[in-house]
Amino acid sequence: MNSKGTFSVLIVSAAAKFNQVLTEIMLPDEYYTQIAGNVGEGRRLLLERDFDIVVVNTPLPDEFGVNFAIDTADSSGSGVLLCVNAEFYEEVSSKIEEYGVLTISKPTSRAVVKQSLQLIKATRRRLVKMEQKNASFEEKLTEIKTVNRAKWLLIDVLNMSEKEAHRYIEKLAMDTRRSKINVASEIIKDYTKP
């Protein structure tokens, strides 16, 4: 999902009519779509870039498509929608639901496809927010570890108390208008023996 809220979609389908209907449903202001005619091409495109949503329309010329859907859901953050003929729906959906793949049976209606895409979009938005929170948490954890390491070096090398070392790092960061992690990294570089 880009900053404008447009979702990138990879459609892996060999059926021209299906592709046409899907691209008509996916308006350009909401979706940016690319089409792969087989699994091999789909895998190549997934190696080149990330997609928010991957729609797999089975069967495909080089393989059925279920394993591709599972691999994609398992190895990426993409929401995966698998479209299978009604006769295979029960068997396939029970096999892949544990991987987080949403399955719909064909033939289907535009409304069901739209609802499925809305569900995947909502889930993808939540996942992106969680990833951002996780990244923020990781950054904060790295900062705490770096500052603590710098404090212990100041305690060890300059015989400061923990409180003095903490205050020294905070004051130096404020006085030089730099972040605490930047100051701590410099202290580590200066006081670590080669």
Side-chain angles (χ1 to χ4, degrees):
M1 182 174 64
N2 67 18
S3 58
K4 297 176 188 171
T6 304
F7 288 82
S8 58
V9 182
L10 173 60
I11 302 168
V12 183
S13 170
K17 185 168 174 63
F18 178 89
N19 298 347
Q20 180 185 348
V21 170
L22 207 52
T23 53
E24 288 171 4
I25 290 172
M26 295 183 188
L27 302 176
D29 58 329
E30 287 184 70
Y31 301 97
Y32 166 75
T33 60
Q34 278 189 268
I35 298 174
N38 58 54
V39 169
E41 188 180 349
R43 288 188 195 282
R44 183 183 55 76
L45 288 169
L46 283 168
L47 287 174
E48 291 175 6
R49 63 167 295 195
D50 294 325
F51 288 90
D52 297 309
I53 301 170
V54 177
V55 179
V56 182
N57 180 34
T58 65
L60 291 154
D62 48 352
E63 69 175 73
F64 188 72
V66 172
N67 289 333
F68 172 70
I70 291 170
D71 292 345
T72 302
D74 211 29
S75 64
S76 73
S78 302
V80 180
L81 176 62
L82 181 68
C83 305
V84 297
N85 289 330
E87 63 199 73
F88 302 116
Y89 176 77
E90 289 298 323
E91 178 187 344
V92 170
S93 66
S94 65
K95 178 182 175 185
I96 65 169
E97 69 183 13
E98 68 185 86
Y99 298 98
V101 176
L102 182 60
T103 308
I104 59 174
S105 67
K106 302 184 298 184
T108 189
S109 67
R110 288 175 183 252
V112 169
V113 173
K114 276 185 168 182
Q115 289 170 349
S116 299
L117 290 170
Q118 291 299 103
L119 177 63
I120 291 174
K121 283 171 45 178
T123 304
R124 182 72 183 133
R125 280 190 180 102
R126 286 190 66 210
L127 182 61
V128 167
K129 283 182 183 178
M130 287 178 8
E131 287 170 348
Q132 289 169 342
K133 283 182 184 179
N134 189 37
S136 175
F137 175 75
E138 292 290 330
E139 288 172 13
K140 189 66 177 167
L141 189 59
T142 299
E143 180 181 326
I144 290 168
K145 286 179 178 181
T146 305
V147 169
N148 281 340
R149 184 169 175 216
K151 281 195 307 190
W152 287 109
L153 278 169
L154 292 173
I155 291 166
D156 189 42
V157 175
L158 300 180
N159 296 319
M160 291 183 177
S161 69
E162 186 175 355
K163 191 174 186 177
E164 289 170 331
H166 185 77
R167 176 72 181 123
Y168 177 80
I169 292 169
E170 281 187 334
K171 184 165 178 14
L172 189 57
M174 281 192 299
D175 291 349
T176 60
R177 295 175 191 218
R178 295 184 295 164
S179 66
K180 286 194 294 186
I181 192 168
N182 185 280
V183 169
S185 296
E186 187 176 291
I187 290 168
I188 291 168
K189 185 176 128 193
D190 291 345
Y191 289 102
T192 301
K193 296 174 187 173

